[in-house]
């Protein structure tokens, strides 16, 4: 199958997938789009929203629509790395046997990831970056495709452990979930208070996703679009000569090279699902906020004056 035919297949599958997810998830179109883009790019996503916005249901629905193996890990203060990765035990023959943890799945829902201490949060680092797990000196390769979709509650800060910058940088997108509109909430209430079961059909297989990931990497991109993405990231660094005044005044640290890589992959994926053969600057801008917002560190002055990440990122355009 040629790349043109495969791109057409991707657009069809993407539209069918959106329709399937829409059977259960009402609204939140931007969040669903970004999660699908991160999956097609081989990245991970952090979902941030108050309780009751169907973060967990959204991840479960997407995994069911993709026909992928799904595991949920509830992050708690007493969770240990072995509870995620697995551990070695002695079997009846006095031989060490590795018992796989829930990380050995296609989609991992790390629920309330900031509820567990950094030691346990760090257990995900190797898996997210290298797609491998090391236990007792032995490397274990994770199945493909593999994604971590983590959730975080922004309003309940007591008893939480903020994610370190190194961990945040492993997430391709930081996705904010907003309250539904009035009409959407009426539809949600009607759908969830009736005795009707919705059957989901799998629209993509694991093999399809891996093939689409390779396709997206093969999509050509013009040098000026790459230069635009790299310049956009460099503008987030206060020491850069390209940085606007808002960045110099309100940012302590800017985004690193992984942000530039993710901007290009995200732009390619965004172009692909809309049937475009090459991304342009608008595709970069479409994913820029979700890629940059968790990679810039505001200073105390920004906090005191109520300057948001959105304001800072908009100044970069």
């Amino acid at each position: 199958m040629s790349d043109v035919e495969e791109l057409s297949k991707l657009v069809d599958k993407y539209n069918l997938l959106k329709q399937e997810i829409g059977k259960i998830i009402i609204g939140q179109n931007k969040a669903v789009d970004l999660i699908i883009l991160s999956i097609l790019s081989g990245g991970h996503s952090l979902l941030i929203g108050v309780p009751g916005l169907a973060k967990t249901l959204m991840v479960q629905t997407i995994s069911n629509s993709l026909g992928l193996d799904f595991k949920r890990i509830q992050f708690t203060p007493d969770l240990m790395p072995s509870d995620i990765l697995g551990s070695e035990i002695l079997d009846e023959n006095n031989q060490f046997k590795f018992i796989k943890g829930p990380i050995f799945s296609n989609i991992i829902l790390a629920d309330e990831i900031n509820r567990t201490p950094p030691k346990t949060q760090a257990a995900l680092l190797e898996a997210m970056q290298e797609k491998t797990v090391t236990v007792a000196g032995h490397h274990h390769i994770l199945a493909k495709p593999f994604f971590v979709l983590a959730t975080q509650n922004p309003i309940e800060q007591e008893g939480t452990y903020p994610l370190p910058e190194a961990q945040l940088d492993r997430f391709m997108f930081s996705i904010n979930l907003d309250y539904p509109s009035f009409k959407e909430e009426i539809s949600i209430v009607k759908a969830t208070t009736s005795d009707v079961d919705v059957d989901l059909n799998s629209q993509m297989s694991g093999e399809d996703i891996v093939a689409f990931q390779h396709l997206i990497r093969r999509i050509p991109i013009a040098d000026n679009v790459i230069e635009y993405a790299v310049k956009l990231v460099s503008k987030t660094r206060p020491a850069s000569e390209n940085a606007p005044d808002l960045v110099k005044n309100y940012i302590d640290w800017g985004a690193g090279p992984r942000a530039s890589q993710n901007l290009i992959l995200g732009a390619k994926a965004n172009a692909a699902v809309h049937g475009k053969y090459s991304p342009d600057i608008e595709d970069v801008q479409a994913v820029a906020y979700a890629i940059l917002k968790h990679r810039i560190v505001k200073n105390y002055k920004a906090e005191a004056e109520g300057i948001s990440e959105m304001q800072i990122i908009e100044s970069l355009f």
Side-chain angles (χ1 to χ4, degrees), residues 13 66 75 112 114 119 132 169 209 215 227 232 252 267:
K13 292 271 189 181
L66 293 172
F75 279 67
E112 295 192 304
N114 58 335
K119 175 184 177 181
T132 61
D169 199 39
I209 293 170
L215 170 68
E227 288 167 10
L232 195 63
D252 275 341

Side-chain angles (χ1 to χ4, degrees), residues 230-306:
V230 173
K231 191 172 182 180
L232 195 63
V233 173
S234 74
K235 284 180 177 181
T236 67
R237 302 163 189 162
S240 169
E241 60 182 20
N242 298 321
D245 289 340
L246 212 57
V247 168
K248 291 178 180 177
N249 292 333
Y250 296 113
I251 295 294
D252 275 341
W253 297 98
R258 195 180 275 123
S260 301
Q261 296 167 339
N262 285 336
L263 275 176
I264 296 304
L265 281 174
K268 284 185 173 187
N270 192 67
V273 299
H274 291 97
K276 293 160 66 175
Y277 297 112
S278 182
D280 51 30
I281 286 172
E282 283 72 23
D283 292 302
V284 175
Q285 292 177 342
V287 297
Y289 179 69
I291 286 172
L292 295 177
K293 103 179 169 63
H294 59 297
R295 290 183 164 95
I296 57 177
V297 180
K298 295 190 297 183
N299 59 23
Y300 73 93
K301 190 177 177 185
E303 298 291 348
E305 296 184 21

Side-chain angles (χ1 to χ4, degrees), residues 25 28 31-32 35 47 54-62 177:
I25 302 301
Q28 304 293 3
V32 170
I35 293 172
L47 307 179
K55 298 185 291 294
T56 304
L57 180 64
M58 185 182 296
V59 176
Q60 288 176 328
T61 303
I62 290 172
L177 274 73

Side-chain angles (χ1 to χ4, degrees), residues 16 72 103 105 111 119 121 123 126 159 183 194 203 216 288 299:
L16 287 171
R72 173 182 177 175
I103 195 78
S105 189
D111 215 1
K119 175 184 177 181
Q121 290 175 8
E126 181 188 355
K183 287 184 178 179
S194 61
Q203 299 297 337
I216 283 166
N299 59 23

Side-chain angles (χ1 to χ4, degrees), residues 112-125:
E112 295 192 304
I113 191 172
N114 58 335
R115 288 250 169 239
T116 200
K119 175 184 177 181
T120 306
Q121 290 175 8
L124 289 172
L125 288 176

Side-chain angles (χ1 to χ4, degrees), residues 11-56:
V11 174
D12 291 341
K13 292 271 189 181
Y14 169 76
N15 290 327
L16 287 171
L17 182 62
K18 288 288 296 291
Q19 288 176 21
E20 206 64 26
I21 293 167
K23 290 179 181 178
I24 291 180
I25 302 301
I26 297 166
Q28 304 293 3
N29 291 323
K30 182 66 174 176
V32 170
D33 279 340
L34 288 172
I35 293 172
I36 296 172
L37 291 183
S38 73
I39 288 172
L40 293 174
S41 305
H44 312 284
S45 291
L46 177 64
L47 307 179
I48 301 173
V50 298
L53 293 185
K55 298 185 291 294
T56 304

